[in-house]
Structures are given as structure tokens and as C-alpha cells.
């Protein structure tokens, strides 16, 4: 006798897809709700169009598109494998993984760096029998991604926005962030040297570590072109024409894989911050707080509403962009919601080790607030 299994109705399967969408795009949903709620206090009008920073959105799109093309040919993974392959013990391997993520965030933004290099960290630890270091490695990769992107205007999304918002000269921007950047490197190395023993390790060779020469050269040229646009040497609208046109023929998948929800998240936060600035009570409170201590206010704001919306919101209430830059960069450490990157890392870890959530959160909180405290002290001294 055969048993017929009736497939689950579509209505029953849908919540799983919906839950997956909500988990993947949590920050976008929050941004959308924030924009909608504030729209009840400030009804849509012609002034809404002035909220959007089109240059930031365009630069972000161009950079993300080229990064997707490079990821599609496994460029970053191949380079990372070569670097990690040169290590001889687990301490150096973990330092290499963390610093690859740290430097990677400076070039391809923190969330992209994590999506690219967290699997590398897992692969190295799993293939060498060192998964006991997975919690530490993932958390330090997360901290490295949040702090590594602070040096360049395109390293973190909030940097790109503030760089354009205040028209900060490139050399001045990097000069402002140089000491906190160096302090972050020093602190990461100290933690690794203290907490990881130099046990011998052998990482498997990667037979598929070959790059297509033509596409690699083309995409690196496009990446350089996108950086030139960010640095305002070429008008951003030219990038909007050239980069999509080239990728349309070279790699259409890269255009499909662009994180459009990140762009929509920015758009929603622009609406949210623009409306908040037009609410008299909010305007008075934030203006008063930012006048007293923009560094601490921005750090605390990041702990509650994350670093990107904090940068967009608070930039309308201060001209002290140096303190704001410090605050929204180091403020990405701390709570789990202080940065989108932290949520990405948490989701990746729990997918691989669902039983280790409690330990992960404990170590995450300890290390993140340690970094936040030290980095805040550094920035306070710099602002005196």
C-alpha cells in the first residue's frame, strides 16, 4: 500500500520565506518603518526630494557593482588564500584572516568584507582542526571590519555619506582617521597575541586559485575608476553611465547581485533624518545634545539605532564633523545592533554553530565593549 503525501499548502510555506526575508533585510525594514512613521508627522511634500544625497547613492551603487563582479571571479578569496597560505601557526593564520578582513573593509566596505572573508575564516579553522577558535576569530573579524573601514571615505557607508555631506578633503579625511585606525590595528594585534597560542597549523592548498586574467584586469580598472569617482575627480553621473554599461556586457550577474536593499535602506534613512530635522521638539533636543558632546552622543546613538542612520540623522545637527566621524565609526562596536556588520557576523556564526549562540554573545559583548572603551578614550584625547 502506498502512502500519498500531500504537499504543504503555499500559505503554510510562505512564512518561512517571509521570515528569511525579514532576517536578511532587518535594517531595511527598520529604516522603512522609521520613514513611514515620521511621514505621519511631516506629510510628504516637495522638500522630500532635497533629503536624498544622490552623489552618495550613486557612488555606493558603482562601488557595490564592481565589488560584486570581483567577487564573482573569486578575486578576494584567491588573494586571501595566498596570504593565509604563508602562515605557519594558528596565531599567525588568525591574525592574517582578521587583518585581511580589516584591510578588506577599507577597500570594499565592512559588510562586503565580512560576507567575503567569514567563510575563509571558517574554512581555515575547520580544515586545520582548530574550530575551537571560531568564536574569537568571527568576533575579531567583525570588529576588524567595523574599524578597518574607518580610514577611507568608501570604507564604511557612513563615511561615504559624511565625506560628501561636509565636502571633506580626502587627505584631511584620512588624516583625521589615521590615529584611530592605527590604534585599532594595535589593539587587534594585542588581543591576538595574548589570547591565541602559536600552535602549528597546515592549511590545505587551493587547487582552484586561478583568476581569469582579462576579467580581473577589467574589473580592477573599474574598481579604480569607482574610487576616482568617490574622490570627486570625475563627476558621479559618468560612473552611473560607464560602470553599468561595461558590466551589462561583461557580467550582468554583478548588476543583479548589487545589494539594492542597502541603497533603499539609505533612501529610507534619508527620509527619516530629513523628517526628524523638521520636527521642532526633536530638532531642539538633538541640537542641544550635539552642541554639548557630539562624540558621546553619536556613540550612544549607534548603540541604539546603528551607525549609518546615526550618521545621517546627527549630521544635520552639528558642524563638528571630526567628532561625528569618530563617533559613528568606533560606535559600530558595542551592542549587536550598533552595526549592520555585527548582525551579518552573528547570522553567519549561528548558521554554522547554532548551539554556540550563548557563548558567542558573551564573548562578543566583552570584546566589543573593550574595544569601544579603549577607542573612545583615544578619540576623547584626540579631540582635546
Amino acid at each position: 500500500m502506498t502512502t500519498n503525501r500531500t504537499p504543504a499548502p503555499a500559505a503554510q510555506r510562505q512564512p518561512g520565506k517571509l521570515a528569511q526575508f525579514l532576517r536578511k533585510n532587518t535594517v531595511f525594514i527598520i529604516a522603512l518603518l522609521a520613514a513611514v512613521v515620521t511621514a505621519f508627522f511631516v506629510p510628504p511634500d516637495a522638500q522630500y526630494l532635497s533629503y536624498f544625497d544622490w552623489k552618495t547613492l550613486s557612488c555606493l551603487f558603482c562601488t557595490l557593482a564592481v565589488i560584486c563582479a570581483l567577487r564573482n571571479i573569486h578575486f578576494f578569496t584567491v588573494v586571501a588564500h595566498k596570504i593565509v597560505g604563508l602562515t605557519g601557526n594558528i596565531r599567525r593564520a588568525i591574525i592574517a584572516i582578521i587583518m585581511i578582513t580589516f584591510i578588506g573593509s577599507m577597500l570594499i566596505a565592512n559588510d562586503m568584507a565580512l560576507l567575503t572573508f567569514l567563510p575563509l575564516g571558517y574554512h581555515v579553522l575547520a580544515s586545520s582542526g582548530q574550530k575551537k577558535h571560531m568564536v574569537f576569530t568571527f568576533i575579531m573579524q567583525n570588529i576588524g571590519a567595523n574599524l578597518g573601514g574607518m580610514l577611507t571615505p568608501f570604507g564604511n557607508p557612513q563615511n561615504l555619506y559624511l565625506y560628501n555631506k561636509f565636502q571633506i578633503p580626502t587627505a584631511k579625511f584620512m588624516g583625521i582617521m589615521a590615529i584611530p585606525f592605527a590604534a585599532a590595528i594595535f589593539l587587534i594585534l594585542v588581543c591576538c597575541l595574548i589570547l591565541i597560542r602559536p600552535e602549528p597549523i597546515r592549511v590545505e592548498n587551493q587547487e582552484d586559485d586561478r583568476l581569469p586574467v582579462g576579467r580581473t584586469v577589467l574589473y580592477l580598472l573599474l574598481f579604480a575608476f569607482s574610487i576616482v569617482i568617490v574622490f570627486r575627480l570625475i563627476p558621479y553621473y559618468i560612473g552611473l553611465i560607464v560602470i553599468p554599461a561595461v558590466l551589462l556586457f561583461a557580467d550582468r550577474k554583478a548588476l543583479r547581485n548589487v545589494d539594492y536593499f542597502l541603497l533603499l535602506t539609505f533612501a529610507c534613512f534619508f527620509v527619516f533624518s530629513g523628517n526628524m530635522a523638521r520636527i521642532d521638539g526633536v530638532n531642539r533636543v538633538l541640537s542641544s545634545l550635539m552642541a554639548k558632546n557630539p562624540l558621546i552622543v553619536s556613540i550612544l546613538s549607534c548603540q541604539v539605532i546603528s551607525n549609518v542612520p546615526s550618521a545621517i540623522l546627527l549630521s544635520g545637527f552639528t558642524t563638528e564633523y571630526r567628532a561625528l566621524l569618530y563617533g559613528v565609526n568606533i560606535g559600530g562596536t558595542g551592542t549587536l545592533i550598533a552595526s549592520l556588520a555585527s548582525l551579518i557576523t552573528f547570522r553567519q556564526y549561528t548558521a554554522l554553530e547554532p548551539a554556540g549562540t550563548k557563548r558567542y554573545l558573551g564573548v562578543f559583548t566583552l570584546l566589543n565593549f573593550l574595544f569601544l572603551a579603549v577607542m573612545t578614550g583615544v578619540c576623547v584625547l584626540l579631540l582635546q
Side-chain angles (χ1 to χ4, degrees):
M1 183 174 65
T2 59
T3 302
N4 294 325
R5 293 185 179 181
T6 304
Q12 293 180 10
R13 296 195 299 269
Q14 189 63 30
K17 295 181 180 179
L18 178 61
Q20 185 179 10
F21 173 83
L22 293 175
R23 284 196 301 269
K24 186 177 180 181
N25 300 288
T26 303
V27 178
F28 165 69
I29 299 300
I30 294 171
L32 179 62
L33 291 174
V36 170
V37 169
T38 57
F40 284 102
F41 296 92
V42 183
D45 56 19
Q47 195 171 337
Y48 268 51
L49 291 176
S50 66
Y51 294 167
F52 301 101
D53 188 330
W54 301 108
K55 181 179 292 185
T56 297
L57 292 173
S58 299
C59 291
L60 192 57
F61 168 77
C62 290
T63 305
L64 290 175
V66 178
I67 288 169
C68 286
L70 285 166
R71 285 187 66 198
N72 287 344
I73 61 172
H74 308 292
F75 174 81
F76 302 109
T77 304
V78 169
V79 173
H81 281 155
K82 298 295 185 185
I83 295 173
V84 173
L86 298 175
T87 64
N89 63 55
I90 187 62
R91 176 194 283 169
R92 286 201 294 263
I94 289 176
I95 290 175
I97 293 165
I98 295 167
M99 295 312 297
I100 288 168
T101 311
F102 184 88
I103 301 300
S105 69
M106 185 173 65
L107 300 174
I108 63 175
N110 53 3
D111 54 343
M112 281 290 190
L114 287 169
L115 290 172
T116 302
F117 299 125
L118 283 174
L120 170 70
Y122 177 77
H123 167 78
V124 170
L125 296 175
S127 63
S128 60
Q130 297 284 347
K131 287 180 66 176
K132 62 184 179 181
H133 297 298
M134 186 172 163
V135 169
F136 175 82
T137 304
F138 268 46
I139 292 170
M140 292 302 291
Q141 281 185 273
N142 179 82
I143 291 172
N146 279 327
L147 296 179
M150 75 170 76
L151 184 63
T152 60
F154 48 84
N156 289 326
Q158 67 270 21
N159 282 1
L160 185 58
Y161 169 72
L162 294 176
Y163 175 75
N164 287 321
K165 166 77 175 179
F166 293 104
Q167 292 293 296
I168 308 170
T170 302
K172 187 172 185 179
F173 183 101
M174 297 182 73
I176 289 171
M177 304 308 299
I179 294 179
F181 180 81
I185 293 176
F186 177 77
L187 196 54
I188 287 172
L189 291 176
V190 168
C191 286
C192 290
L193 292 173
I194 292 175
L195 299 176
I196 304 296
R197 293 181 178 180
E199 302 171 5
I201 183 178
R202 187 178 67 85
V203 181
E204 296 176 356
N205 292 327
Q206 303 296 315
E207 296 181 357
D208 297 330
D209 279 2
R210 292 184 297 270
L211 292 170
V213 177
R215 288 192 176 189
T216 301
V217 173
L218 175 62
Y219 297 157
L220 287 176
L221 287 174
L222 286 180
F223 186 65
F225 184 61
S226 67
I227 292 175
V228 168
I229 294 170
V230 170
F231 286 156
R232 312 186 191 111
L233 299 177
I234 296 176
Y236 70 89
Y237 55 82
I238 294 179
L240 277 179
I241 298 172
V242 173
I243 290 177
V246 173
L247 292 179
L248 190 63
F249 292 97
D251 188 356
R252 294 185 182 183
K253 184 180 178 182
L255 293 175
R256 293 196 301 269
N257 289 347
V258 169
D259 190 351
Y260 291 103
F261 280 106
L262 178 60
L263 298 173
L264 289 172
T265 299
F266 261 79
C268 290
F269 279 137
F270 283 139
V271 173
F272 167 71
S273 60
N275 285 341
M276 291 288 281
R278 292 171 66 184
I279 300 173
D280 290 338
V282 173
N283 195 309
R284 287 194 299 271
V285 171
L286 287 179
S287 295
S288 174
L289 290 173
M290 289 298 286
K292 292 177 181 177
N293 199 322
L295 173 66
I296 300 302
V297 171
S298 55
I299 290 173
L300 293 176
S301 175
C302 290
Q303 306 311 305
V304 179
I305 65 171
S306 187
N307 48 10
V308 172
S310 294
I312 296 172
L313 174 62
L314 299 177
S315 65
F317 299 94
T318 185
T319 57
E320 297 291 331
Y321 61 77
R322 187 183 176 200
L324 184 57
L325 272 172
Y326 288 154
V328 297
N329 276 280
I330 66 173
T333 57
T335 65
L336 193 63
I337 62 173
S339 169
L340 170 61
S342 298
L343 294 173
I344 290 173
T345 307
F346 179 67
R347 188 168 66 234
Q348 293 273 348
Y349 179 82
T350 53
L352 294 167
E353 299 287 336
T357 302
K358 186 175 180 180
R359 178 168 177 254
Y360 178 92
L361 290 175
V363 178
F364 177 92
T365 301
L366 177 64
L367 286 174
N368 268 266
F369 277 99
L370 169 65
F371 271 79
L372 182 59
V374 174
M375 295 301 297
T376 299
V378 170
C379 292
V380 167
L381 290 175
L382 289 173
L383 290 171
Q384 287 182 349

